[in-house]
Amino acid sequence: MLTLINNDKDNPCLNKNLSLGIDQACFSVINDTPGNLTLYSVINDCYVVNCEGLKWATLLPHSNTTLVTEAKLPLHIFFKDSKKGYEWCHDTFNFRQYGHYGWNITDENGGCSSIYTMYTSWNPYLPILAALMMFVLVATIFTTSKMIIRTVKLFRQRENGIDNDHERLQESDASPGLISISKTSSRMKSVDAFRGIAILLMIFVNNGGGKYYFFEHSPWNGLTVADLVLPWFAWIMGFMIVKSIRVSLQLSISRKRILFKLMRRSLILILLGLMVNSYAQTKYTLWNLRFPGILQLLAITFFICAAIETIFLKPQRSFQEIFLQYGRLVFLSDIFDSWPQWLIVTALTTLHTLMIFLLHVPGCPDGYFGPGGCHRRGKYVNCTGGAVGYIDREIFGNHLYNKTENPLYRHTLPHDPEGLMNTLSAVLIVYLGVHAGRIFFTYYQCTAKMIRWLVWSVVTGLIAGLLCNFEKENGVIPINKNMMSLSYVLATSSFAFLLFTILHLLIDYKKYWTGAPFIYAGANPILLYVGHYLTKGLFPFAWDIMGTPTHTFALLMNLWTTVLWGFIAYLLYRKDIIISI
């Protein structure tokens, strides 16, 4: 987080031959007092939940000390008198990358200035704006070119109208040929576009996301762009469960055989997940192989939701039959028809939440949602993840995600974001996707479908907000990806309902957009997911250059990797190659 360099030759703020790294800035502190002062700092998000400050530097009397500081999140700074032990001059400041800032301490009893700017660099987010404008420009040129080509073709056809009519008459007299139906032509474009957005965003953030903090997972509570990827992928997976099972039943495939196919698919996904884990793990042995993972979570939640849907799914009926059964409550028929499934999913969600609040974890308070480490001044240092982390550590032992250094809360106990408890909670995400799919196949009018999806978006979002008190901290159930909290599940599902409604409106209903280029990636999501892991860091998907890393280079490299996988998906789509499990 913070860097103190005692040798001026190694300090990029003082040596012009050196350069600052990504998200670093210079901070000059003038101590104009006759005594030694100790400077402390802590990232403000951690300070809010009572994290103790880290000792940063000792300021000598009448000195000017230049430090290298992180310029990513707001930093809370203060100093202590080495003799009196008092804390003075608490200040919070959001440093900007490559900037130079100053702070004057004029009185050991608390006299100090506000942090001021000596030099500010260009905005580090400009590369994102430039990349966005470039993509918009390319899309505009591509769309305009297609329109011009179509207009020219239509004009030529009108000029040669007589010849074209003669050709049509000849074609009509000839015997009709066979109509070829490709795999891609029968796919739902809005679904593929949604899935393509999720998988390409996943590739982008997994490769670094330009080293921007909002393209990284939240250190603990909160929600970033990266935290949306897995829930969206799980949600749209649930959406397609309804179609798959309905088609299988219409083909007179027995429910037992469907369950067998579901189990086989889940086992294949689990096997692929273990392969990815063993490849990504640097020191892999059978005794420390990580068992949980993204594909494992998707496999188990898929099987649970698909199995209960297979067992309890009712045959599709006409509107008259549904109206005779439910009368004025016919607008809720999609919920009434699936009450056994909802009962099971609600029971699993309730079990997960109750275990968090009621299961006693040794040395930890009940209902603890914190990260342990220095959270609450280190009072619950061994309580990382509360009951969720405790259960996973007891069941999996060493077979967990082994990263224990948190950027905010320092050293924490091992905890797995795709562990058993989180998998149990993710069942609700998948089943909300299942219900979105049921709405699609239950109601015929497009507006009726979209209204219901928007209502579900508002309801799930409102409940999530009430659970977290519309705050990052201090809510009853905070939004937390690491623990897959109920508020997190509902908030991300709310965004999924909203995004799919927009895509369905633009692509399927109004036909303003074909869904390209995302539909190409959405047709082969598992292939792209496994492939991008196996080729991570390899040429031509990525390469390194000499010199100081910057947001611009990192963003270009991560976008290149994402675009390259998108192009591979496009080639597969054009060749009608769809690899499914």
Side-chain angles (χ1 to χ4, degrees), residues 317-331 333 336-337:
R317 298 168 294 167
S318 65
F319 177 79
Q320 290 78 8
E321 292 174 324
I322 298 174
F323 184 79
L324 287 175
Q325 182 175 358
Y326 299 119
R328 293 181 179 179
L329 297 178
V330 68
F331 65 96
S333 60
F336 293 150
D337 280 346

Side-chain angles (χ1 to χ4, degrees), residues 235 331-332 334-335 342 432 435-436 439 443 446-464 490-491 493-502:
W235 187 91
F331 65 96
L332 296 176
D334 55 311
I335 299 176
W342 273 113
L432 285 170
H435 193 74
I439 291 173
Y443 301 98
C446 194
T447 52
K449 299 174 186 179
M450 291 190 292
I451 289 173
R452 283 169 172 79
W453 290 330
L454 287 176
V455 169
W456 275 99
S457 176
V458 172
V459 170
T460 53
L462 184 60
I463 296 175
L490 294 173
S493 297
S494 174
F495 287 119
F497 276 109
L498 178 60
L499 176 60
F500 186 79
T501 303
I502 295 172

Side-chain angles (χ1 to χ4, degrees), residues 103-329:
W103 199 33
N104 299 340
I105 303 173
T106 56
D107 185 353
E108 60 184 351
N109 293 322
C112 55
S113 68
S114 299
I115 297 176
Y116 54 89
T117 301
M118 301 168 62
Y119 166 75
T120 181
S121 66
W122 53 274
N123 194 320
Y125 305 120
L126 285 178
I128 297 179
L129 179 61
L132 181 60
M133 292 176 64
M134 181 62 68
F135 280 117
V136 171
L137 178 62
V138 171
T140 303
I141 293 174
F142 181 76
T143 304
T144 305
S145 301
K146 288 182 66 176
M147 291 178 62
I148 293 174
I149 293 172
R150 287 179 182 176
T151 304
V152 171
K153 285 184 177 180
L154 182 61
F155 181 75
R156 288 179 177 177
Q157 287 176 358
R158 288 179 178 177
E159 283 187 340
N160 304 322
I162 299 176
D163 295 335
N164 289 339
D165 291 340
H166 180 67
E167 290 177 3
R168 291 193 195 100
L169 289 173
Q170 288 182 339
E171 290 176 359
S172 63
D173 293 337
S175 58
L178 294 175
I179 300 175
S180 61
I181 300 177
S182 63
K183 295 178 182 178
T184 56
S185 63
S186 59
R187 299 181 66 87
M188 292 178 60
K189 289 188 176 181
S190 58
V191 171
D192 277 344
F194 186 103
R195 194 158 40 199
I197 291 172
I199 190 63
L200 290 178
L201 188 58
M202 183 180 290
I203 292 173
F204 177 68
V205 299
N206 283 349
N207 279 276
K211 303 298 181 183
Y212 291 102
Y213 72 92
F214 43 79
F215 289 131
E216 299 173 356
H217 290 294
S218 299
W220 201 253
N221 291 338
L223 194 65
T224 65
V225 176
D227 296 328
L228 297 171
V229 176
L230 175 58
W232 284 1
F233 202 85
W235 187 91
I236 200 63
M237 179 182 68
F239 187 99
M240 292 306 295
I241 285 175
V242 179
K243 179 184 177 182
S244 176
I245 294 175
R246 285 183 184 273
V247 170
S248 297
L249 292 176
Q250 288 171 0
L251 294 174
S252 300
I253 300 176
S254 67
R255 296 182 188 250
K256 277 188 178 181
R257 190 176 171 188
I258 295 174
L259 288 172
F260 176 77
K261 287 184 176 181
L262 297 176
M263 183 177 294
R264 184 182 63 183
R265 183 171 190 253
S266 298
L267 290 175
I268 293 174
L269 285 174
I270 290 174
L271 179 61
L272 287 174
L274 292 174
M275 290 172 59
V276 169
N277 284 358
S278 64
Y279 181 83
Q281 197 164 330
T282 53
K283 296 181 179 179
Y284 153 67
T285 68
L286 189 60
W287 309 112
N288 67 356
L289 174 64
R290 181 191 175 201
F291 287 165
I294 291 177
L295 291 180
Q296 294 90 314
L297 180 144
L298 293 175
I300 296 173
T301 53
F302 165 80
F303 179 76
I304 292 174
C305 292
I308 60 176
E309 194 68 11
T310 301
I311 295 170
F312 297 106
L313 181 65
K314 293 182 179 180
Q316 195 163 358
R317 298 168 294 167
S318 65
F319 177 79
Q320 290 78 8
E321 292 174 324
I322 298 174
F323 184 79
L324 287 175
Q325 182 175 358
Y326 299 119
R328 293 181 179 179
L329 297 178

Side-chain angles (χ1 to χ4, degrees), residues 381-399:
V381 63
N382 294 320
C383 299
T384 303
V388 172
Y390 175 75
I391 292 173
D392 285 340
R393 287 189 291 270
E394 289 294 312
I395 293 176
F396 294 112
N398 293 328
H399 302 283

Side-chain angles (χ1 to χ4, degrees), residues 531-542:
H532 99 275
Y533 261 111
L534 299 181
T535 59
K536 196 173 182 180
L538 301 179
F539 184 86
F541 297 94

